[in-house]
Amino acid sequence: MIKKSAGIALRRSPAMKVGASVRRRAAAGLASGRSTLVDSVLMPAAQGSAARVQYAAVLDGHTLNLRALLPAGVPVTGADVSDASGADAAGPDDGAPARAHVLFISGGTRIRAAARLHRERDGQTSVQATVLLGEDIGGVPVTLGRWTLGLELDSGSPAPVRLQLIGDGAPAYGGPTRPLDTCVRTGRRHRLGLTPAGRLRLTIAPPVARAEVLRVNRAFTGTSVLFAVYGPDAARDGAAPPIVELVEQQRRTVLRHTAEPLPADATAWRVTLPLGRLLDTSARQTWSLRLVPGPRGGKPLEIGRHGHDLRSPRKVLTPPKFTVRAEDGTFVEVKPQYTRRGALQLVCTPRKSGTP
């Protein structure tokens, strides 16, 4: 208990705010140094065989967005190159149309995805691509593991021109959202990074188990929480229903309730919590919910909102409060909220008056 209270106090202390500011400045300095390394060392060493990544991100969990500048001297003639206004711009000799593809390379496997050529206002040519990741959702058939990204240009010559993609192009995000690297449909995680040589690399990791809140229902005697389980062994056909633990951290109270399945969805469940019978009305209580590990073991799963792109779910996701009447006649205000990690909490505060 003392250790947990000390941890909470440390996270809320002004010193941690200073630390967060220092971390942000350090991250900005690292990004600036990385860009200097790419432009001053890696790109000149490539000797015109690499395109400079200006932007690269997986924004919705399964769509790669990419923009890179081609080196000078690369042939990109033809009507498939658009100018800054969006109109087609022919090359100087109006030759065969140039086509561009993004290459996904893993060992001896090469997968191509269509890209677009674009003539910038300063005369440079950029390649832009929006690529859906995953064959099972209609995208390119990339699998789990590491994929190095490159470009392939075909302008009618006997052999296509292949270019490396150097630099991560990591955007600086502000505001309430951040890139979502986990696919909400498959659970796979996509992360962009750099190889030791500075080439753009996509790492695809398998899904992890998580319990996502679907809805919090209110009642005068308690609440029911609808949630879905994603990741390995999410569908539990024929298996025993999951057990949900209701945990009160301050008093180390743990109560167990069996969830019931929701119709037509093998991954969705409902747990009913009769708060009116469970609450101790002598003090404020904060309850959290977690799933008991199944037969294969593992850590308990916090029930909450984890598959989102919010920087601070606690500030953005604000379910409405409601009132519960305890067995002793006391009215208790129940405030559902989410922690910084996205875990659902039920903050129960007894009212001093006898009216709801």
Side-chain angles (χ1 to χ4, degrees):
M1 180 66 67
I2 295 176
K3 181 178 179 181
K4 180 176 178 61
S5 300
I8 294 174
L10 179 62
R11 288 195 299 271
R12 294 179 178 178
S13 67
M16 287 301 293
K17 295 181 180 180
V18 174
S21 176
V22 171
R23 288 194 298 270
R24 284 194 296 270
R25 288 198 298 268
L30 179 62
S32 176
R34 188 167 55 232
S35 295
T36 301
L37 174 66
V38 169
D39 293 326
S40 302
V41 179
L42 299 180
M43 286 300 294
Q47 297 180 351
S49 65
R52 176 62 163 98
V53 177
Q54 292 191 312
Y55 180 90
V58 179
L59 296 182
D60 61 355
H62 52 232
T63 305
L64 170 67
N65 296 268
L66 175 68
R67 183 176 185 271
L69 279 180
L70 298 183
V74 175
V76 287
T77 61
D80 281 1
V81 183
S82 61
D83 60 18
S85 65
D88 290 338
D93 56 2
D94 200 19
R99 293 184 299 274
H101 293 86
V102 178
L103 285 179
F104 295 83
I105 306 168
S106 179
T109 303
R110 279 179 166 78
I111 299 174
R112 293 167 176 79
R116 303 176 304 279
L117 293 168
H118 183 80
R119 190 80 70 191
E120 303 293 329
R121 295 185 184 276
D122 59 3
Q124 289 185 289
T125 302
S126 65
V127 174
Q128 303 174 14
T130 303
V131 183
L132 189 63
L133 303 173
E135 187 176 20
D136 48 356
I137 58 175
V140 294
V142 289
T143 54
L144 300 179
R146 291 180 174 179
W147 296 81
T148 302
L149 274 61
L151 291 178
E152 184 176 86
L153 305 176
D154 183 5
S155 58
S157 57
V161 177
R162 288 179 178 169
L163 301 172
Q164 303 174 38
L165 281 171
I166 290 184
D168 58 357
Y173 290 97
T177 61
R178 56 174 174 76
L180 179 63
D181 59 3
T182 300
C183 177
V184 296
R185 295 173 60 182
T186 66
R188 287 190 297 264
R189 293 164 292 158
H190 302 89
R191 183 174 60 86
L192 288 170
L194 295 178
T195 69
R199 298 185 64 181
L200 186 64
R201 179 167 62 190
L202 173 68
T203 301
I204 305 178
V208 296
R210 68 184 196 277
E212 293 284 337
V213 171
L214 301 177
R215 188 166 68 247
V216 179
N217 291 332
R218 298 169 289 169
F220 199 50
T221 57
T223 182
S224 62
V225 178
L226 280 61
F227 65 94
V229 181
Y230 300 102
D233 303 324
R236 302 168 54 99
D237 293 334
I243 304 297
V244 177
E245 288 184 339
L246 190 63
V247 183
E248 211 290 313
Q249 299 289 351
Q250 296 296 328
R251 304 185 183 185
R252 297 186 179 181
T253 304
V254 178
L255 305 174
R256 290 193 169 191
H257 297 268
T258 301
E260 56 180 329
L262 294 180
D265 190 344
T267 65
W269 304 87
R270 176 193 291 110
V271 59
T272 302
L273 306 174
L275 296 178
R277 292 194 292 105
L278 303 178
L279 293 176
D280 181 354
T281 58
S282 62
R284 172 175 167 172
Q285 295 176 289
T286 300
W287 298 86
S288 59
L289 289 80
R290 66 188 185 192
L291 286 184
V292 176
R296 297 188 180 182
K299 296 181 179 180
L301 294 181
E302 293 181 329
I303 298 178
R305 294 288 297 273
H306 308 287
H308 56 76
D309 62 352
L310 301 173
R311 290 186 181 276
S312 178
R314 187 167 192 164
K315 294 181 180 179
V316 179
L317 304 175
T318 54
K321 304 176 184 178
F322 59 98
T323 301
V324 167
R325 186 179 188 275
E327 288 188 330
D328 63 359
T330 302
F331 291 99
V332 179
E333 180 187 81
V334 180
K335 178 186 177 183
Q337 66 181 22
Y338 293 95
T339 66
R340 293 182 179 180
R341 296 176 54 185
L344 176 65
Q345 290 182 332
L346 301 175
V347 181
C348 304
T349 306
R351 292 179 178 271
K352 295 181 179 180
S353 63
T355 58

